[in-house]
Amino acid sequence: MATGEERERRIILAKPLTVGEETDVDYRAPNPLQLVFSLFRNVLPGSDLTKFQLPPLFNLPKSQLQCFGESVYSTATDMLSRCNSSENPHDRFIAVVAWSISTVRPLVFGVAPYNPILGETHHVSSGNLNVLLEQVSHHPPVSALHATDEEENVELIWCHHPSPKFNGTSVEAEVQGKRQLKLLKRGETYVMNSPTLSMRFLPGPAADWVGNVRIQCQETGLEAELCYRSSSFLWRKGNHRSIKGKIFESSSLKTLYEIDGHWDRIVSVKDINHGKFTVMYNAKEVLSGLSAPIVKDLREVWASESAVVWSELSQGILSKNWEKAREEKKAVEEKQRELLRERESKGETWVPKHFSVSYCKEGGWDCSPIQQKVPPAPIDVPL
């Protein structure tokens, strides 16, 4: 196993998943369906998988924290600036819906990212957009995200709490929590949720996004309802990764626009009043040819950085050295148990460094950033 000093020096940043290039990923599990069946043979339907530990063979070489971050900072087209560019509130709302669709990324069946450790961070800049994530709770797993772009006057605040369950022939992870996109110079806040992750074993293996997403803006009086669908049979291409929805007035419930298409291809919007169709989102333009972030200043990278914490495990997976991967994963987990024992012996409670966190039964988890602006990061996305 690598020493602590070597761990801090090594950083492994895997490429983001991109549309149309799902075979071009850093790692893909061999015989995934057979492996998945063997993994879940002793798991009862309805079981909560929050504390379920995956062997390294089932892991992507990156943390879930990095995956959340990629959905914000890793795009070939700047979708966020489009949300701010129009003087028309309807056009801005359509742009926000398109941006929301762009945060949905393709999945690889049979593998999943690492569960982030408590206090793990991921700090990346893409142009003027600075993004910071922190794992603010381990059991249950809760991730917080804060992103700011001072030039565009945009702010993002997310709180994610995935809740995976085994249903016998599938695993579904409802991503609970609130996403906020703030267009500060417009005085508008857009509140939305996330679709549900579904990994299906039968009748055909598939990993996809399903369920309903609602987007609301109180200041403009507009709302959107989106429905993500996946066909149980991959030859039914019409339904595979389809998305349908509408944009309507909150007060009158009058439908203004209809949305239709496929989130991994083209999504169009129809103006009900004029009957005009417009392409609002082109996944190939936004999600093709994405590159992994690069380290700009190694000395400024925090020890809590996701790509540092998991670097040796990621290296083991990428080199398919499974003995090394198992040792490194065990080392990270044992270190966390040791830190927990230390805190308990001292009567200490762990507190997040970058977010204030609260929980209530009615509203769930809420994460508020401590700093007003996210500083530039030592890790950068190549433009």
Side-chain angles (χ1 to χ4, degrees), residues 162-187:
S163 180
K165 281 189 169 59
F166 178 59
N167 297 322
T169 59
S170 67
V171 171
E172 289 205 350
E174 182 184 355
V175 185
Q176 301 170 2
K178 184 170 61 176
R179 298 179 172 190
Q180 296 179 73
L181 166 57
K182 299 184 178 184
L183 306 182
L184 299 175
K185 71 179 181 181
R186 306 284 183 184

Side-chain angles (χ1 to χ4, degrees), residues 119-347:
E120 180 180 327
T121 59
H122 188 48
H123 188 199
V124 177
S125 291
S126 177
N128 296 308
L129 180 68
N130 302 316
V131 183
L132 174 62
L133 299 98
E134 183 178 18
Q135 191 70 10
V136 297
S137 173
H138 187 57
H139 292 307
V142 181
S143 307
L145 177 148
H146 186 211
T148 55
D149 185 328
E150 293 189 58
E151 186 171 303
E152 289 293 334
N153 226 353
V154 170
E155 181 178 29
L156 293 168
I157 303 173
W158 290 9
C159 189
H160 279 186
H161 170 212
S163 180
K165 281 189 169 59
F166 178 59
N167 297 322
T169 59
S170 67
V171 171
E172 289 205 350
E174 182 184 355
V175 185
Q176 301 170 2
K178 184 170 61 176
R179 298 179 172 190
Q180 296 179 73
L181 166 57
K182 299 184 178 184
L183 306 182
L184 299 175
K185 71 179 181 181
R186 306 284 183 184
E188 296 170 357
T189 297
Y190 298 79
V191 180
M192 63 201 77
N193 63 308
S194 170
T196 295
L197 186 157
S198 174
M199 185 172 289
R200 187 180 61 249
F201 313 141
L202 297 172
D208 226 330
W209 296 98
V210 297
N212 299 319
V213 170
R214 193 177 192 90
I215 304 172
Q216 299 171 291
C217 179
Q218 189 174 0
E219 291 80 12
T220 61
L222 297 175
E223 294 186 37
E225 290 178 350
L226 305 175
C227 180
Y228 289 83
R229 296 177 180 173
S230 177
S231 173
S232 298
F233 303 95
L234 294 184
W235 57 84
R236 293 182 181 172
K237 293 293 185 181
N239 288 333
H240 187 49
R241 292 182 172 174
S242 69
I243 181 172
K244 291 183 181 292
K246 62 181 179 179
I247 297 172
F248 58 95
E249 294 177 345
S250 300
S251 57
S252 66
L253 303 182
K254 178 185 177 183
T255 299
L256 304 173
Y257 302 92
E258 291 179 345
I259 297 166
D260 192 17
H262 299 83
W263 61 262
D264 64 335
R265 284 161 274 172
I266 298 289
V267 181
S268 298
V269 58
K270 177 186 177 182
D271 185 329
I272 296 298
N273 287 335
H274 303 98
K276 181 182 177 183
F277 285 87
T278 307
V279 172
M280 65 181 296
Y281 178 69
N282 185 330
K284 188 174 182 180
E285 290 179 358
V286 178
L287 301 182
S288 293
L290 304 179
S291 302
I294 57 175
V295 179
K296 190 169 56 177
D297 189 346
L298 184 59
R299 295 168 301 177
E300 296 297 319
V301 177
W302 299 330
S304 60
E305 164 60 44
S306 180
V308 174
V309 171
W310 301 103
S311 61
E312 298 301 323
L313 171 55
S314 295
Q315 185 60 44
I317 291 173
L318 291 170
S319 62
K320 298 185 179 179
N321 184 340
W322 301 115
E323 183 178 353
K324 171 185 170 66
R326 285 190 293 271
E327 288 178 355
E328 296 298 341
K329 190 166 191 178
K330 183 179 178 181
V332 173
E333 292 167 350
E334 185 51 46
K335 178 64 176 176
Q336 293 308 299
R337 295 186 191 102
E338 181 184 331
L339 291 172
L340 176 60
R341 287 192 294 267
E342 286 180 10
R343 288 195 299 272
E344 288 178 341
S345 67
K346 297 176 182 177

